[in-house]
Amino acid sequence: MKVRTVAVYYVFTIWTRIFHWLMVGAIAVLFCTGLYIGNPFYIGSQGVEPTFAVNNWASMSTIRFIHFAAAYILMASFIFRIYGFILHRGDRMLPKPWTKLFWTGMLDMGLHYSFLRSEHRPYLRNSMARAGYGGVYGMIFLEAFTGFAMYGQINPNSWLSKLFGPINHLLLDEYVVHIIHHYVAWMIILFVIIHVYMATRADMSEKYGEISAMFSGVKFYDKEPDDVGDLKE
Amino acid sequence: MKDVESLWDLFQKRNVSRRNFLKTCVTITGILGLSPSLISDVVSAAEKQPLVPVIWLHGHECTGCDEAFIRSQSPFASDVLLNMISMEYMDVLAAAAGEPLEHHLQEVMKKYNGKYLLAVEGAVPLNDDGIHCMVGGKTFVHNLKEVAKGAAAIIEVGSCAAWGGIQAAKPNPTKSVSVSDVVSGKTIIKVPGCPPIPEVITGVIMHYTLYGQIPPLDSKGRPKQFFGNRIHDTCYRRPFFDSGMFVEKFDDAASKAGWCLYKVGCRGPETYNSCGNLRWWNGLSYPIQSGAPCIGCSANNFWDNDPFYNRMPNIPVPNTIVNADQVGIVAAGALTAGVIIHGALSTIQHKKHHKETHDTEKDNE
């Protein structure tokens, strides 16, 4: 048996890991309930007055409640993310387009993913992943802002409406906000497909412990990663 | 009207009783969305506050808002509200026409400078120096700016004046814009709708007449008491929405039973108006009540949010009609297939590479 010598890098704090899995659950619930809200159908036995049907286990009212509850859980889980972000450098691996490494790394990964380079340099988080995560955070914030813009208008005099209501005007009208919310939800799902694939791929071919890192917080490298500077001073 | 007088003066002049005057004040309080405790305020304002002179301009539009306006018929208030304003200039209702009327406009502007209320109906076309809408030989944008200068406040009546309306819909050949896009430095009240609810038009004018100040506005400049809530949140069909009971087609049993019109394109969830509570024609009905989904006529840019009878707009894909969900499912499917293929190719490359490095390692040994 061949023995592999690796160095252990503590990348993600427990707070980021908790956030990650809360986010996974919340987004799954948000997407499924969101699809229903966008194109609903009657669930339950026919011939019931709406007064009683609203108490069905899966009425529009219930499903909307689940959607809003999941949205609040996702928003609250950001507290963990922010705490980790402040606490530990490994939780701060942002895209850094002002560095040379970001662009050489991007080229490196591009060539590797298009099968033109059989191996890529070791990274704690490669440039493409950094850009992708930056993008998905952007999409989540866009969903949150458009979501609260619509939700807050239930009571146009509430502070929530005062805070987010102007977004409805910024984007022409509220109908456009609905559409953006709907389209971006699909884009997040497309991101999830790529993300799950890329993580699995990296885990299987590179043996850095890509997937387990989101449970244990550590990654294993035989060579020192190029972006180790983001972890150590 | 020669002299500016109050509503009570007007009632006395016409020999209408005090009792009827008070009844009218109660009605007005209700229409304005004010609390019943404010009735005494309304009464005292109606006794003392002089009637406001109103100039009503018509721009790029269809005069449909006038048709609505003259049908303001809230109990007992309709005639009163019409007579309450000292309407000095309105080209479609004036008995005079042509030069004498335009001359009168100039006089009124001078006489009530800084005091008159300006109601504008219609969009302002700017293309080709504004020649797409001419009144009295001058472009509408010129007239508007001139009259707006001396106005105490401006009311944008209807969606055209408030947002640009159908003229501003794609591709907007006349480059029509809203009144607030060309007039600045004035208090502007938006009363959108295609047309606005008659009682809403009169109600806003009424509020200004009584209080001498504009009603509380939302961040978009619309009076809160009429445009504060979404139609969806005041709709009598809302219980069907909450229960998940929807009309699927216009001729199905659900549509006959009066279920929610959300899935056949109702824009109630995005539209701010009083249709749900004031309704139309003396509270007779409103589109949703008559089984037609709301098209969002008081919303900005609603003409471009077509098709009106679909919940979601179609995505332009050649030779087919698809919405976001269908595109999303196909994209997600294609992407999944893509990553599977990419994964297979990666495995092949990885194995090949692994073998190569393994061989070179062996050679080195």
Side-chain angles (χ1 to χ4, degrees), chain A residues 9-221:
Chain A
Y9 293 85
Y10 175 58
V11 186
F12 306 118
T13 60
I14 182 76
W15 309 113
T16 300
R17 285 175 269 151
I18 291 174
F19 161 74
H20 179 268
W21 295 112
L22 279 175
M23 174 175 65
V24 170
I27 288 182
V29 172
L30 282 166
F31 185 71
C32 296
T33 52
L35 276 189
Y36 175 84
I37 294 165
N39 187 19
F41 44 88
Y42 187 66
I43 308 168
S45 44
Q46 297 288 330
V48 186
E49 287 292 320
T51 320
F52 304 108
V54 76
N55 295 321
N56 273 350
W57 64 274
S59 68
M60 182 66 150
S61 179
T62 315
I63 288 170
R64 286 177 82 233
F65 174 76
I66 296 168
H67 191 80
F68 300 144
Y72 272 120
I73 288 169
L74 179 60
M75 287 300 103
S77 70
F78 260 99
I79 295 168
F80 291 115
R81 183 72 186 85
I82 293 162
Y83 186 58
F85 189 90
I86 295 166
L87 220 59
H88 181 60
R89 285 174 66 85
D91 291 349
R92 269 177 263 164
M93 289 194 290
L94 302 165
K96 291 173 177 167
W98 58 88
T99 60
K100 198 185 156 206
L101 179 65
F102 179 81
W103 297 106
T104 54
M106 189 68 98
L107 181 70
D108 187 25
M109 294 315 292
L111 291 172
H112 177 64
Y113 286 144
S114 49
F115 307 115
L116 297 170
R117 191 176 278 180
S118 50
E119 224 176 5
H120 68 81
R121 300 279 309 155
Y123 306 101
L124 288 168
R125 178 179 288 167
N126 72 60
S127 305
M128 242 179 220
R130 284 171 189 242
Y133 299 150
V136 82
Y137 276 122
M139 290 196 277
I140 290 170
F141 283 128
L142 193 57
E143 286 296 80
F145 282 125
T146 52
F148 277 121
M150 296 183 285
Y151 178 74
Q153 292 301 101
I154 291 170
N155 179 2
N157 291 319
S158 62
W159 63 270
L160 202 62
S161 159
K162 288 200 172 68
L163 202 60
F164 295 103
I167 292 168
N168 292 321
H169 310 159
L170 207 69
L171 300 166
L172 219 57
D173 73 349
E174 211 168 311
Y175 185 69
V176 178
V177 176
H178 279 253
I179 292 168
I180 291 172
H181 196 76
H182 199 109
Y183 288 8
V184 174
W186 272 109
M187 282 191 248
I188 290 174
I189 292 310
L190 299 185
F191 166 85
V192 167
I193 295 170
I194 298 171
H195 172 64
V196 169
Y197 164 67
M198 286 301 183
T200 315
R201 183 187 188 278
D203 195 80
M204 287 167 77
S205 62
E206 281 145 20
K207 314 278 189 252
Y208 297 151
E210 185 73 24
I211 291 178
S212 67
M214 210 22 96
F215 294 97
S216 65
V218 292
K219 285 192 179 189
F220 313 99
Y221 289 87

Side-chain angles (χ1 to χ4, degrees), chain B residues 18-296:
Chain B
R18 176 78 181 170
R19 183 183 170 81
N20 272 334
F21 171 73
L22 291 177
K23 273 168 132 183
T24 306
C25 289
V26 172
T27 310
I28 291 167
T29 314
I31 289 174
L32 294 187
L34 300 173
S35 140
S37 62
L38 289 170
I39 289 173
S40 55
D41 282 10
V42 173
V43 172
S44 88
E47 281 169 348
K48 293 172 201 141
Q49 198 74 30
L51 299 184
V52 174
V54 176
I55 294 177
W56 191 303
L57 290 184
H58 289 82
H60 216 194
E61 46 106 20
C62 71
T63 66
C65 299
D66 295 318
E67 293 287 343
F69 176 71
I70 58 174
R71 281 165 183 78
S72 174
Q73 54 174 340
S74 213
F76 215 80
S78 59
D79 182 46
V80 178
L81 290 183
L82 256 176
N83 288 317
M84 272 199 61
I85 327 159
S86 164
M87 181 72 83
E88 292 292 347
Y89 175 90
M90 186 193 207
D91 28 18
V92 296
L93 293 184
E99 270 179 28
L101 184 65
E102 296 305 316
H103 181 69
H104 180 62
L105 174 64
Q106 296 298 330
E107 274 187 354
V108 172
M109 277 164 58
K110 240 176 261 163
K111 190 174 169 194
Y112 299 114
N113 189 22
K115 285 182 199 132
Y116 58 84
L117 193 61
L118 171 62
V120 187
E121 200 183 318
V124 190
L126 298 178
N127 239 4
D128 307 316
D129 299 324
I131 56 155
H132 298 284
C133 183
M134 310 279 287
V135 182
K138 289 174 197 146
T139 61
F140 177 59
V141 59
H142 171 269
N143 290 351
L144 174 66
K145 281 181 179 165
E146 194 185 4
V147 183
K149 235 177 263 168
I154 300 172
I155 302 177
E156 296 175 331
V157 182
S159 286
C160 295
W163 317 119
I166 194 166
Q167 292 78 224
K170 276 171 204 154
N172 194 359
T174 56
K175 206 182 157 212
S176 288
V177 295
S178 70
V179 170
S180 36
D181 284 332
V182 290
V183 177
S184 53
K186 289 280 166 190
T187 313
I188 296 179
I189 311 164
K190 281 186 193 300
V191 185
C194 193
I197 299 172
E199 284 74 20
V200 171
I201 308 178
T202 44
V204 172
I205 298 172
M206 205 49 228
H207 191 286
Y208 184 83
T209 312
L210 281 178
Y211 287 98
Q213 59 189 33
I214 59 163
L217 305 178
D218 69 4
S219 53
K220 241 174 174 174
R222 299 170 296 192
K224 269 186 187 171
Q225 69 257 53
F226 299 116
F227 297 92
N229 287 299
R230 288 184 282 227
I231 293 174
H232 188 57
D233 293 333
T234 53
C235 184
Y236 82 105
R237 293 197 184 192
R238 182 59 185 266
F240 294 100
F241 174 86
D242 284 337
S243 304
M245 299 157 96
F246 299 100
V247 173
E248 299 284 340
K249 279 185 288 176
F250 283 115
D251 57 351
D252 66 4
S255 117
K256 283 180 189 131
W259 289 10
C260 178
L261 296 159
Y262 179 74
K263 286 186 81 176
V264 285
C266 184
R267 300 285 191 263
E270 299 92 31
T271 309
Y272 294 79
N273 211 332
S274 298
C275 301
N277 28 32
L278 264 184
R279 306 198 185 181
W280 286 74
W281 317 130
N282 210 5
L284 174 70
S285 183
Y286 71 115
I288 294 166
Q289 192 174 343
S290 64
C294 168
I295 61 169

